[in-house]
Amino acid sequence: MGIRLGDNQYGKAEVRLVHVARDTAVHRIKDVSVTSQLRGDLEAVHTAGDNSHCLATDTQKNTVYAFAKENGGIGAIEDFALLLARHFVGAHDYIHGARQEIHEYAWERIATSDGPHDHSFVRSGAETRTTVVTKDGDREWVVSGLEGLTVLKSTGSEFHGYPKTAYTTLPETADRILATDVKARWRYIGTGADWDASYAAVKALMLEAFATTHSLALQQTLYRMGTAVLEARPEIAEIRFSMPNKHHFLVDLSPFGLDNPNEVFFAADRPYGKIEAAVERDDAPPAGRAWESVPGFV
Ligand SMILES: O=c1[nH]c(=O)c2[nH]c(=O)[nH]c2[nH]1
């Protein structure tokens, strides 16, 4: 019987890094979590404990911090991830590929009675911005995204016409609450997009489509959101979503002699519907290794 080493990668996960740009009295902060992983000529470390090619995960972590200084900050997370990936693959001939994942947490300046404060911030309850840069030799892919973008519409959502089986109890509705936490990842064509502008546009397009689609199913809303992004953003090849259907059940107030015309709901946290789909441009370049190690998406 032969046994061999399969695919492998290793690195430091969730390197927490806050960068303060303090070149003026009005500070700017960037708060990220970086997961660095490397691939390459790493057979011997697994089979024989030979560490001669094993760029320590501690070294990878230190590189993240040092690059934040040497680079004068982080910039767009896509650029920082590309910088790290190119460094690791370019500087070590035994490292052939890299996967750099970054999550960014948003902060806003605290609004004081004297205006926005110079160096005090409040974590904005908004979504987390993400990127995964994969480098395999000379080939590079960027998959960016967001998660935790919680949205709700209090009407403009129906659900009916589904199969009725022996186990169906769900009443049809022409007016329900539609709520979800949008989790999305989109694959870029190339590595030269205006990342910040693209991110802002994608988020705005998704929110606009969620708000303005009269929904007959969360699946339909999801598809509209994806279509809106691909129609407006030529730099994006495809977008994938994983969205919970956060059910809001009408409370029966009749025991109290009260009617309830869609005013009082029980917000259930589980179970929830789990709606996932990819929306793709049919002439998109092949995905290659872009989606490897991006779990949680179909
Ligand atoms: O938008 C919905 N899609 C479904 O697939 C589904 N299933 C269900 O019970 N409620 C809903 N709502």
Side-chain angles (χ1 to χ4, degrees):
M1 184 181 69
I3 295 176
R4 60 187 171 80
L5 179 69
D7 287 345
N8 61 87
Q9 58 183 357
Y10 78 106
K12 195 69 98 190
E14 299 186 42
V15 178
R16 294 286 288 108
L17 159 62
V18 173
H19 181 266
V20 181
R22 44 193 311 145
D23 44 327
T24 74
V26 182
H27 290 180
R28 286 159 283 124
I29 63 170
K30 275 274 203 184
D31 182 355
V32 298
S33 175
V34 181
T35 294
S36 168
Q37 289 179 291
L38 303 179
R39 303 164 181 162
D41 185 2
L42 295 158
E43 176 104 10
V45 60
H46 291 90
T47 58
D50 172 351
N51 292 330
S52 55
H53 290 172
C54 183
L55 190 73
T57 69
D58 193 66
T59 306
Q60 295 181 46
K61 176 218 28 165
N62 291 344
T63 306
V64 170
Y65 288 123
F67 271 39
K69 172 64 177 162
E70 290 177 4
N71 190 47
I74 295 167
I77 54 175
E78 290 83 357
D79 282 330
F80 197 60
L82 283 163
L83 184 75
L84 289 166
R86 288 169 182 165
H87 164 73
F88 287 126
V89 175
H92 312 286
D93 58 5
Y94 45 86
I95 299 298
H96 308 152
R99 177 186 188 277
Q100 304 291 310
E101 175 166 356
I102 305 182
H103 289 215
E104 178 178 358
Y105 312 106
W107 293 87
E108 285 168 17
R109 248 168 241 295
I110 292 179
T112 70
S113 48
D114 289 334
H117 200 268
D118 284 357
H119 54 261
S120 298
F121 302 85
V122 56
R123 182 76 165 261
S124 66
E127 78 288 352
T128 303
R129 174 174 165 179
T130 68
T131 194
V132 177
V133 164
T134 303
K135 185 167 174 64
D136 182 15
D138 292 337
R139 297 188 303 160
E140 297 174 336
W141 299 273
V142 179
V143 173
S144 292
L146 57 74
E147 51 199 57
L149 183 66
T150 302
V151 289
L152 177 151
K153 57 195 296 181
S154 52
T155 189
S157 168
E158 311 183 23
F159 190 64
H160 45 74
Y162 43 83
K164 312 298 181 301
T165 78
Y167 303 108
T168 303
T169 57
L170 183 74
E172 299 199 325
T173 177
D175 188 0
R176 66 174 184 173
I177 285 179
L178 186 66
T180 189
D181 304 318
V182 180
K183 188 171 173 190
R185 297 282 189 277
W186 51 91
R187 173 167 63 95
Y188 281 102
I189 299 167
T191 57
D194 180 342
W195 309 114
D196 289 348
S198 185
Y199 180 83
V202 171
K203 179 180 162 188
L205 287 159
M206 292 194 302
L207 290 175
E208 167 97 16
F210 177 83
T212 59
T213 300
H214 183 96
S215 180
L216 300 175
L218 182 54
Q219 288 91 330
Q220 180 207 20
T221 295
L222 176 160
Y223 187 71
R224 286 278 181 83
M225 291 166 69
T227 304
V229 169
L230 294 185
E231 282 174 353
R233 305 304 307 186
E235 72 274 24
I236 295 174
E238 60 171 314
I239 180 164
R240 302 184 183 185
F241 295 92
S242 178
M243 307 204 315
N245 188 2
K246 300 173 74 169
H247 303 303
H248 289 68
F249 297 113
L250 205 59
V251 177
D252 178 8
L253 298 177
S254 62
F256 322 119
L258 299 170
D259 65 353
N260 188 6
N262 271 358
E263 291 176 357
V264 180
F265 293 86
F266 163 55
D269 70 338
R270 67 194 74 173
Y272 49 88
K274 191 169 183 187
I275 310 298
E276 300 183 326
V279 186
E280 304 165 346
R281 212 179 269 297
D282 56 15
D283 60 351
R289 303 187 71 175
W291 293 100
E292 262 178 30
S293 307
V294 183
F297 292 85
V298 291

